[in-house]
């Protein structure tokens, strides 16, 4: 905790725990980050490891603050995710970049969100792989639907595309569909060259 929250004593707000956060209640200009996020981003950049998301679920993305924490830091190397234990692997913390390249980790993480226990078979015909892909798409759609925040949607579009490419192949319908959605988000975030 950074100590940004209000100190509560006998159900009364007393003060912020840490006085450096006294600016949190100040008004902001349209288009400007809220003061709490400026402090949060600065703290994430100063840490050795960055941000840790313990439960990366659809519900997590329904919180505006959580979407901001996840999407607007804009440094994937600072984002880490807890992947719960699976059939053949213990729970562990992984870098977002590692999750982007490892279909098995995605299956393990987003399989938990689907409430299934997945088999170790990575066959493209495996329905668990299609279920994982569907869950990744749903996460991106949730981020998009919540005030259309393209920066929050971008990491999931990238993840869905990488997962589809690594699992179903470059020319599969799922990969092509993911690519088209990723291109649109790249354009929305100003990355025309990547599109």
């Amino acid at each position: 905790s950074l100590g940004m929250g209000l100190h509560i004593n006998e159900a009364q707000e007393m003060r912020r725990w840490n006085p450096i956060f006294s600016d949190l209640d100040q008004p902001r200009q349209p288009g400007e980050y809220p003061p709490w996020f400026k402090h949060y981003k600065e703290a994430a950049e100063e840490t050795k490891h960055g941000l840790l998301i313990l439960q990366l679920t659809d519900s997590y993305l329904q919180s505006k603050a959580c979407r901001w924490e996840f999407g607007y830091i804009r440094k994937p190397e600072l984002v880490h995710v807890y992947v719960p234990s699976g059939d053949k692997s213990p729970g562990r913390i992984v870098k977002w970049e590692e999750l982007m390249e490892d279909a098995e980790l995605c299956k393990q993480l987003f399989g938990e969100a689907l409430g299934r226990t997945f088999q170790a078979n990575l066959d493209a015909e495996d329905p668990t792989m299609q279920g994982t892909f569907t869950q990744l798409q749903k996460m991106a759609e949730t981020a998009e639907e919540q005030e259309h925040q393209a920066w929050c949607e971008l990491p999931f579009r990238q993840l869905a595309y990488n997962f589809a490419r690594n699992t179903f192949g470059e020319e599969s319908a799922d990969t092509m569909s993911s690519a088209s959605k990723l291109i649109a988000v790249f354009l929305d975030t100003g990355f025309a060259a990547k599109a």
Side-chain angles (χ1 to χ4, degrees), residues 5 7 24-25 32 52 72 74 85 130 142 159 161 176:
H7 176 71
L24 295 183
D25 299 319
E32 184 179 59
L52 171 61
Y72 284 99
R74 298 183 190 171
S85 60
Q130 191 61 48
T142 298
L159 187 59
Y161 170 74
M176 297 303 230

Side-chain angles (χ1 to χ4, degrees), residues 26-184:
Q26 300 297 318
R28 64 183 171 118
Q29 299 299 316
E32 184 179 59
Y33 288 128
W36 73 265
F37 184 74
K38 292 176 187 176
H39 289 290
Y40 188 89
K41 185 176 181 182
E42 183 179 300
E45 290 172 349
E46 289 176 0
T47 65
K48 183 176 180 183
H49 297 289
L51 167 69
L52 171 61
I53 302 171
L54 294 175
Q55 292 185 328
L56 185 55
T57 63
D58 198 50
S59 297
Y60 174 85
L61 291 177
Q62 291 175 12
S63 161
K64 183 175 186 171
C66 291
R67 284 192 313 276
W68 277 54
E69 291 168 1
F70 177 72
Y72 284 99
I73 287 182
R74 298 183 190 171
K75 291 187 176 183
E77 66 274 12
L78 292 178
V79 178
H80 297 74
V81 180
Y82 176 72
V83 178
S85 60
D87 286 344
K88 296 182 180 178
S89 60
R92 64 187 183 123
I93 296 170
V94 299
K95 293 180 178 183
W96 183 260
E97 297 156 320
E98 185 179 352
L99 188 64
M100 290 277 287
E101 298 303 323
D102 192 326
E104 189 62 36
L105 280 174
C106 284
K107 189 169 85 165
Q108 190 175 338
L109 177 61
F110 295 102
E112 181 80 9
L114 289 168
R116 299 183 186 186
T117 302
F118 290 114
Q119 302 166 7
N121 181 6
L122 287 178
D123 184 343
E125 299 299 318
D126 184 346
T128 60
M129 296 308 274
Q130 191 61 48
T132 301
F133 177 70
T134 300
Q135 184 65 21
L136 289 171
Q137 293 285 66
K138 182 181 178 197
M139 299 284 281
E141 288 163 15
T142 298
E144 176 188 19
E145 290 166 0
Q146 307 293 324
E147 303 175 323
H148 186 67
Q149 295 172 332
W151 282 106
C152 301
E153 181 184 356
L154 178 60
F156 285 103
R157 293 293 181 202
Q158 290 173 308
L159 187 59
Y161 170 74
N162 284 356
F163 180 82
R165 187 191 68 218
N166 293 340
T167 304
F168 309 123
E170 254 257 7
E171 297 180 14
S172 74
D174 288 332
T175 303
M176 297 303 230
S177 170
S178 285
S180 115
K181 291 173 183 175
L182 178 57
I183 288 169

